[in-house]
Amino acid sequence: MSRLRRLRAVALIPALLSASFASLASVDEANAKEDRETIVRNDRERVLATGYWIYNDLDAAYEQARQTGKPILVVLRCLPCEECVKLDDDLVESDPELKRLLDKYVRVRVVGTNGLDLNVFQYDTDQSFAVFMLNADKTVYGRFGTRSHRTEWLGDVSLEGMAAALRESLKLHNAYPANRESLAGKTGAPLEFASPEKYPTLTDRPDHLDYSGQVAKSCIHCHQIGEARRDYYWQRGQSIPEEVLHPYPHPKSIGLVLDARFPARVKSVAKDSAAAKAGFQAGDDLLSIHSQPLVSMADVQWALNQVPAEGAQVEIQTKRGDQTRAVTLSLPDGWRRWDDPSWRVSSWMMRRIAGGGMRLLPLDESERQKLDLRSPMALRVANVGKYGLHATAHKAGVRVDDILIEYDGQSDLIREADVFDHVNEKRRPGDRVQMKFLRNGRERTAEIPIQK
């Protein structure tokens, strides 16, 4: 498939999830002229006018699914979200095959998570959009939508991949309820609270979007759920569980590069990775993890997210050519930290807590050689906040392009995420940490408080 075709495939997905498959250019032009409040209200009017999607009414979707016997397709999409609406500048028309598949579902769009049942809808809340395929009784068939970078989706989602996920979910629906037991693991254990607005930091939000008032301000965005979960533990003086601090590990973190055009096909395997040691090869199809059937890369992430931070033996059913085989993937303690969470919106919370508003990027080898750095730790200050609690490091004298070589007595924190983990394990709000920097070849020190 050509690069242009792949770009169009990626860009088409959010467009198809919009009201009436309008061109992405039209949506982007409208966004430029509208404030956030107007965008949300106009989106609702467009969707309701077409009648193709149920808008923000899951109860209506469940009822329609019970009456028709169809499965349900739920699209969680925050508004406004430029990354979700426009992933490249191509004008893309709707795809007949995907439209045919969508017609087989009861389709519902959710643009705010207020009142969302978190016992059912558990997903990577750092995503701009997430898709669920499920039964009227709330049994989850599968998920779709993932990424490993803040703005880049190419390689993680595609038009073909979404069509494949819809087809595989239809097969699971047609086999239901005989396959109910294999699908049980696709619903997770209850979270700390049953819906977002019940978390302490979100209690000022209603359990529904307030169209009678300022609807945009009433919305609870996806990423705010993840932040609220972290805050719940941190404000109580507890370490944030590693499963919450390092959620939804990308398959790449264990050495699996998957082909976004297929449900879960291996494109390549990283040398010396956990996946390579388990015997995976390019071309292998992952059929199930711990008996859960897989319909997409997001399903693989979901299954990996159920593996504890302490590690485990993960049973994976694969297909190579005409042969099916069982593979055991060994994940050791701390394996979740292999994934780099720096792209996540939730990282900004940890930058405030641990770094006083610093954003840190590792120096590459050429930069290290140029500076003649021998310290294993070398993190460049890419940004430093200047407002509110994010200005703490700036007020302590930290400046952009300073090189952090020691943090709280540690000189082996190689990534920004390592700094987060150190603070989460060893420090609590109010503690103070010393830092050492290089600026123009001279060593400097600064001290900041660990924040709430």
Side-chain angles (χ1 to χ4, degrees):
M1 184 172 64
S2 70
R3 176 172 175 80
L4 178 59
R5 171 62 174 160
R6 292 198 302 271
L7 288 172
R8 286 178 172 172
V10 174
L12 178 56
I13 294 168
L16 287 171
L17 306 183
S18 67
S20 58
F21 309 113
S23 74
L24 298 177
S26 298
V27 174
D28 190 53
E29 182 180 355
N31 284 357
K33 297 178 181 178
E34 299 171 346
D35 61 23
R36 186 178 176 194
E37 185 76 11
T38 305
I39 291 171
V40 176
R41 291 184 180 277
N42 286 352
D43 179 76
R44 180 172 182 265
E45 291 180 7
R46 285 191 291 265
V47 174
L48 293 177
T50 64
Y52 191 72
W53 294 83
I54 296 172
Y55 195 82
N56 252 26
D57 192 342
L58 284 166
D59 288 338
Y62 293 136
E63 180 58 31
Q64 188 176 131
R66 284 190 288 268
Q67 293 178 2
T68 62
K70 289 183 176 181
I72 304 170
L73 176 74
V74 178
V75 175
L76 294 152
R77 174 187 155 199
C78 291
L79 285 175
C81 177
E82 293 182 5
E83 293 163 13
C84 180
V85 174
K86 179 177 178 290
L87 299 181
D88 68 49
D89 292 326
D90 291 341
L91 299 179
V92 186
E93 295 181 352
S94 59
D95 182 85
E97 170 63 10
L98 190 50
K99 174 66 163 53
R100 183 186 67 80
L101 290 166
L102 290 171
D103 287 343
K104 297 180 181 294
Y105 286 83
V106 173
R107 303 161 301 276
V108 57
R109 281 191 53 201
V110 175
V111 299
T113 65
N114 308 59
L116 189 67
D117 184 353
L118 296 180
N119 291 329
V120 175
F121 296 97
Q122 296 179 11
Y123 61 102
D124 187 346
T125 56
D126 282 308
Q127 303 296 338
S128 292
F129 80 97
V131 181
F132 278 77
M133 287 72 70
L134 67 160
N135 188 274
D137 67 4
K138 303 183 182 181
T139 296
V140 176
Y141 295 133
R143 296 163 172 82
F144 180 81
T146 189
R147 57 178 169 166
S148 51
H149 186 277
R150 186 174 65 85
T151 60
E152 296 175 7
W153 297 70
L154 187 62
D156 289 327
V157 294
S158 74
L159 177 68
E160 291 90 344
M162 184 173 184
L166 293 177
R167 281 193 294 269
E168 293 303 310
S169 295
L170 283 170
K171 292 178 184 177
L172 294 174
H173 179 70
N174 291 335
Y176 193 76
N179 56 357
R180 187 197 301 268
E181 184 176 348
S182 68
L183 298 171
K186 292 200 170 191
T187 299
L191 302 187
E192 300 84 5
F193 295 92
S195 59
E197 71 284 351
K198 294 180 180 178
Y199 280 89
T201 55
L202 295 174
T203 54
D204 61 332
R205 304 297 179 89
D207 62 2
H208 60 282
L209 290 180
D210 182 15
Y211 282 96
S212 64
Q214 293 182 306
V215 60
K217 289 186 177 180
S218 72
C219 178
I220 299 176
H221 295 284
C222 294
H223 71 88
Q224 291 176 313
I225 300 173
E227 292 170 358
R229 294 192 69 201
R230 294 172 181 86
D231 268 326
Y232 172 73
Y233 293 99
W234 190 248
Q235 300 297 337
R236 290 156 60 98
Q238 301 175 8
S239 294
I240 302 169
E242 197 153 317
E243 290 84 353
V244 178
L245 189 59
H246 291 275
Y248 292 87
H250 197 281
K252 290 179 182 177
S253 69
I254 61 170
L256 284 177
V257 178
L258 300 183
D259 191 328
R261 298 171 299 170
F262 300 91
R265 178 169 294 177
V266 178
K267 188 175 182 180
S268 63
V269 181
K271 185 179 179 181
D272 297 327
S273 65
K277 293 174 182 176
F280 286 101
Q281 295 181 11
D284 287 352
D285 284 307
L286 280 60
L287 303 180
S288 67
I289 297 180
H290 284 318
S291 300
Q292 294 180 41
L294 305 172
V295 307
S296 70
M297 194 185 303
D299 261 7
V300 176
Q301 276 188 282
W302 164 259
L304 288 176
N305 196 52
Q306 308 311 302
V307 180
E310 294 77 16
Q313 301 294 303
V314 183
E315 300 301 323
I316 304 177
Q317 192 76 13
T318 68
K319 184 177 181 182
R320 181 178 299 169
D322 295 329
Q323 301 295 317
T324 59
R325 58 194 290 265
V327 174
T328 300
L329 175 70
S330 297
L331 296 177
D333 290 357
W335 72 276
R336 282 178 173 268
R337 300 187 186 189
W338 296 345
D339 206 4
D340 185 357
S342 61
W343 67 269
R344 295 178 174 276
V345 177
S346 55
S347 291
W348 288 101
M349 170 187 167
M350 295 306 299
R351 287 173 185 139
R352 182 196 79 235
I353 289 172
M358 294 186 297
R359 178 169 174 257
L360 303 170
L361 297 177
L363 268 63
D364 61 29
E365 191 56 37
S366 63
E367 291 175 307
R368 294 177 64 93
Q369 291 179 1
K370 184 178 180 180
L371 295 171
D372 193 26
L373 283 178
R374 293 176 174 80
S375 169
M377 184 175 184
L379 297 171
R380 184 186 300 278
V381 179
N383 300 95
V384 58
K386 296 183 179 180
Y387 302 98
L389 295 177
H390 282 274
T392 302
H394 179 77
K395 292 176 180 177
V398 179
R399 297 294 180 262
V400 171
D401 289 333
D402 284 352
I403 308 298
L404 180 63
I405 58 172
E406 186 177 300
Y407 181 95
D408 197 24
Q410 305 297 309
S411 59
D412 59 349
L413 306 178
I414 308 303
R415 306 178 305 165
E416 182 183 56
D418 298 332
V419 176
F420 299 164
D421 288 325
H422 172 78
V423 169
N424 186 48
E425 289 178 358
K426 306 294 186 181
R427 295 298 179 183
R428 291 295 174 266
D431 291 347
R432 302 188 70 84
V433 295
Q434 296 281 340
M435 302 181 294
K436 290 183 182 180
F437 295 90
L438 289 179
R439 183 187 300 171
N440 298 325
R442 298 182 61 183
E443 188 174 298
R444 296 173 178 268
T445 61
E447 183 180 277
I448 60 172
I450 300 301
Q451 300 176 38
K452 283 193 172 183

